[in-house]
Amino acid sequence: MLTGAGISAESGVPTFRSADGLWNKFKPEELASMAAFVANPKMVWEWYNWRRELIANVKPNAGHFAIAELSALLPRFTLVTQNVDGLHALAGSRNIVELHGNIGRSKCSDCGLLVPEDCHIDPSAIPACRGCGGKIRPDVVWFGEMLDPNIIDAAFREAERCDLFLSVGTSALVHPAATLPVVAKRHGATLIEVNLEPTPLSAMADISVQGKSGDVLPVVVEALKRRHRLSPSGEPR
Ligand code: BV8
Ligand code: ZN
């Protein structure tokens, strides 16, 4: 399963490309890139602090909780997310593959040393790394940056071997994440998309449901339980 910003929209976290999305006010390249950080680290940290503050005051929604339940109902389940908001873990999902990092973590932009999570960053006085003196940055993957090879390789391995691939709440525009459902389909998986609007995936999906993930996913979980008469613990009755 792959999730994108749409899964967190009902929690109040703005998505990137929808009408009221984050990118409408800012351009990704202007903020979520190393070039932006080098040019204007203060502005980039102001933006991330604003997002951190927003995320600190939201909660997982029914879509996140349904996914957490799904993982307990299926023999093998891998959740890959493009999101950096940490809401899947808060909803109880486990062994989550965070493709683009986590906005709650900060690291050294030179040596990658992580800094304690409670380290508040003052954009006007960005701390230096204890190890090498490098500037501290958010521990997320910016545009133009490679993803962690171990993380993206694990995601592709799961996509190649799964029987069913669910793509939920993503515009399927950002690569390499957007290639995962295509690879799954090419390896014979059934591809189901749940998204508010059509995406480049919709035409190739076996089933494309246009709707809110917070409405659709709980229905899927209830249907799965009824169909397999699985108890909430996932054991056959
Ligand atoms: C890479 C972390 C190799 C940061 C993010 C030119 C130069 C450099 C690179 C490129 C280039 N051209 C292409 C690339 C590759 C680039 C890319 O894909 N660009 C796109 C925009 C064309 N990718 C990269 O740079 C990646 N690295 O390729 O390295 C390389 C290196 C150099 C040169 C070439 C290649 C790194 C990409 C990672 C970027 N980091 N986030 C941060 O968050 O601050 S990406 C960011 O977008 C978020 O992680 C987000 O998750 C992700 C994808 O967006 P979505 O999740 O899909 O969100 P979006 O708003 O778009 O869509 C939400 C959907 O939900 C909508 O369709 C909406 O209808 C729906 N929805 C809304 N509400 C609901 C809903 N659905 C259901 N229910 C609802 N309630
Ligand atoms: Zn360092």
Side-chain angles (χ1 to χ4, degrees):
M1 175 177 233
L2 173 69
T3 62
I7 188 89
S8 297
E10 290 160 82
S11 295
V13 182
T15 61
F16 290 81
R17 292 167 188 84
S18 333
D20 60 348
L22 280 177
W23 296 145
N24 282 31
K25 301 178 191 71
F26 321 95
K27 290 247 165 309
E29 298 71 24
E30 284 164 13
L31 286 158
S33 72
M34 180 49 97
F37 186 66
V38 168
N40 193 337
K42 179 170 179 295
M43 180 183 71
V44 171
W45 263 118
E46 280 167 350
W47 186 55
Y48 278 93
N49 278 349
W50 171 74
R51 285 174 65 192
R52 281 180 167 182
E53 185 62 26
L54 182 142
I55 288 166
N57 293 297
V58 299
K59 296 206 177 347
N61 63 63
H64 293 107
F65 290 114
I67 290 172
E69 203 173 355
L70 206 52
S71 60
L73 288 172
L74 298 172
R76 185 185 170 86
F77 179 86
T78 301
L79 173 58
V80 179
T81 188
Q82 300 172 87
N83 299 344
V84 297
D85 58 29
L87 290 179
H88 282 302
L90 270 183
S93 285
R94 293 288 165 266
N95 79 317
I96 305 159
V97 179
E98 288 184 319
L99 291 180
H100 297 155
N102 188 304
I103 200 168
R105 287 194 306 263
S106 310
K107 67 178 180 183
C108 171
S109 46
D110 292 343
C111 71
L113 185 70
L114 285 175
V115 299
E117 298 226 347
D118 57 1
C119 166
H120 175 73
I121 311 282
D122 173 356
S124 313
I126 298 168
C129 167
R130 279 187 282 84
C132 75
K135 253 193 187 53
I136 300 302
R137 57 166 280 182
D139 184 18
V140 296
V141 179
W142 278 331
F143 285 98
E145 291 188 319
M146 305 296 278
L147 280 67
D148 178 325
N150 299 323
I151 291 177
I152 191 66
D153 289 352
F156 274 106
R157 268 198 308 280
E158 291 303 320
E160 286 164 7
R161 61 183 293 180
C162 71
D163 308 312
L164 172 66
F165 192 104
L166 285 159
S167 176
V168 179
T170 180
S171 58
L173 292 174
V174 172
H175 292 272
T179 315
L180 290 166
V182 178
V183 164
K185 179 84 184 139
R186 209 177 286 148
H187 280 74
T190 300
L191 175 59
I192 297 180
E193 175 184 55
V194 178
N195 203 63
L196 211 50
E197 59 203 356
T199 74
L201 271 185
S202 306
M204 76 168 71
D206 296 281
I207 301 172
S208 183
V209 180
Q210 279 196 27
K212 290 185 172 182
S213 44
D215 297 338
V216 175
L217 295 180
V219 171
V220 170
V221 169
E222 284 314 310
L224 193 64
K225 278 189 207 166
R226 266 198 316 278
R227 183 172 157 68
H228 296 285
R229 286 191 306 282
L230 285 178
S231 66
S233 66
E235 293 307 311
R237 285 192 197 290

